[in-house]
Amino acid sequence: MNSYNKNDMDRRDFIKKSTLAASGGLMLTTPLGRMLESPQEDDKHSPSSENELRVLLINGSPHAKGNTYLALSEASKTLEDEGIATEVVHIGVQAVRGCIACNQCHQRSLGRCVFDDDICNRIVEKMGHSDGLIIGSPVYYGQPNGSVLSLVQRMFYCSGDTVRNKPAAGVCVCRRGGATAAFQTLNMPFQMMNMPVVSSQYWNILYGMSEGEASLDREGMQTMRTLAHNMAWLLKKIHAGGNPDYPKREQMQAMNFIR
Ligand SMILES: Cc1cc2nc3c(=O)[nH]c(=O)nc-3n(C[C@H](O)[C@H](O)[C@H](O)COP(=O)(O)O)c2cc1C
């Protein structure tokens, strides 16, 4: 079984739900938002083949070619050298709305967010076609920036099983401080989503302020390459033989400590 087939169930499920919604099979209205529309067209991963393992890298900075991009590019280049296809997606400068806990995604089993007026569903769709995930963010006041937090909270809340068992890592860039707190925040959802968290030789942190400065952080850039090698290694191990032996899961026991 090739890498495309290995998550076939997840992908078929995701595509079925997306297609149903996009074709008007689901009438989706919310008190505050517009109806779901067709997802935007995917950019192709490079190199592109259905048999390749794929890693999606999200550049959460408003700067398309800033320090976050430099960090992710180093990881991306190393992954490609390892034979893993990559795509770096820039979240852009348009507003990314936060989750309003309307629960439409769960109640209707959409597999995507009911709001379709920003980048969230495009990322969710790309995630459905990817085998691993790296999220990069600049540090703003000791945290990932607001757009990254909004995106991450919505994409994980609505995507459910789409991301399960897919290795993931967070990457932070900062001028001087707060990166470890931001890094911890980025890592929190992976552990709730059954995503194996990929490590490196150090926390995935780079230093730099003006555009391009992070390339001077030799240790940080090396940390990106080590992270990429580790992710490539893990992906190849998971998918060796083409049929991943994923762990068994119990039915979720969700408790709120009251009932
Ligand atoms: C609103 C704002 C808040 C920031 N907060 C911090 C911070 O808490 N700690 C820090 O070291 N750098 C902080 N920075 C600097 C950025 O993290 C740094 O310039 C980073 O390299 C930007 O990455 P980018 O080029 O990918 O956008 C802040 C920058 C902005 C615009």
Side-chain angles (χ1 to χ4, degrees), residues 226-255:
T226 304
L227 168 67
H229 285 306
N230 289 351
M231 180 168 274
W233 172 81
L234 186 58
L235 281 170
K236 288 172 188 175
K237 293 286 178 204
I238 289 173
H239 298 290
N243 195 6
D245 190 14
Y246 291 127
K248 290 188 174 60
R249 307 271 181 224
E250 289 185 15
Q251 184 76 26
M252 172 84 168
Q253 299 286 325
M255 291 192 65

Side-chain angles (χ1 to χ4, degrees), residues 74-228:
E74 194 69 5
S76 160
K77 267 185 258 152
T78 309
L79 283 163
E80 300 246 349
D81 288 346
E82 289 261 15
I84 311 277
T86 65
E87 182 180 18
V88 182
V89 179
H90 179 223
I91 68 168
V93 293
Q94 300 302 316
V96 183
R97 59 160 80 233
C99 180
I100 63 161
C102 68
N103 265 321
Q104 296 284 311
C105 55
H106 288 187
Q107 282 164 17
R108 299 171 190 247
S109 301
L110 296 178
R112 65 207 308 260
C113 183
V114 74
F115 291 110
D116 208 27
D117 50 8
D118 61 22
I119 196 164
C120 178
N121 283 337
R122 203 172 134 232
I123 298 280
V124 171
E125 189 176 359
K126 285 178 185 295
M127 200 49 232
H129 299 293
S130 301
D131 304 292
L133 174 69
I134 299 179
I135 302 176
S137 177
V139 175
Y140 285 4
Y141 295 99
Q143 287 294 292
N145 70 13
S147 298
V148 168
L149 288 174
S150 291
L151 171 67
V152 160
Q153 288 162 11
R154 274 170 64 224
M155 72 181 259
F156 285 130
Y157 197 62
C158 73
S159 62
D161 290 350
T162 308
V163 295
R164 179 182 283 186
N165 300 317
K166 295 182 178 178
V171 169
C172 290
V173 300
C174 73
R175 178 185 74 83
R176 188 169 176 83
T180 52
F183 180 65
Q184 283 170 21
T185 301
L186 273 185
N187 277 295
M188 296 293 269
F190 303 146
Q191 284 152 327
M192 284 181 76
M193 302 303 292
N194 289 288
M195 302 175 86
V197 180
V198 183
S199 61
S200 184
Q201 65 194 47
Y202 194 82
W203 301 307
N204 304 324
I205 291 165
L206 280 88
Y207 290 90
M209 180 161 174
S210 325
E211 207 165 291
E213 262 180 15
S215 61
L216 303 173
D217 179 0
R218 290 193 309 279
E219 185 175 345
M221 294 300 257
Q222 186 179 56
T223 302
M224 292 299 96
R225 295 192 294 276
T226 304
L227 168 67

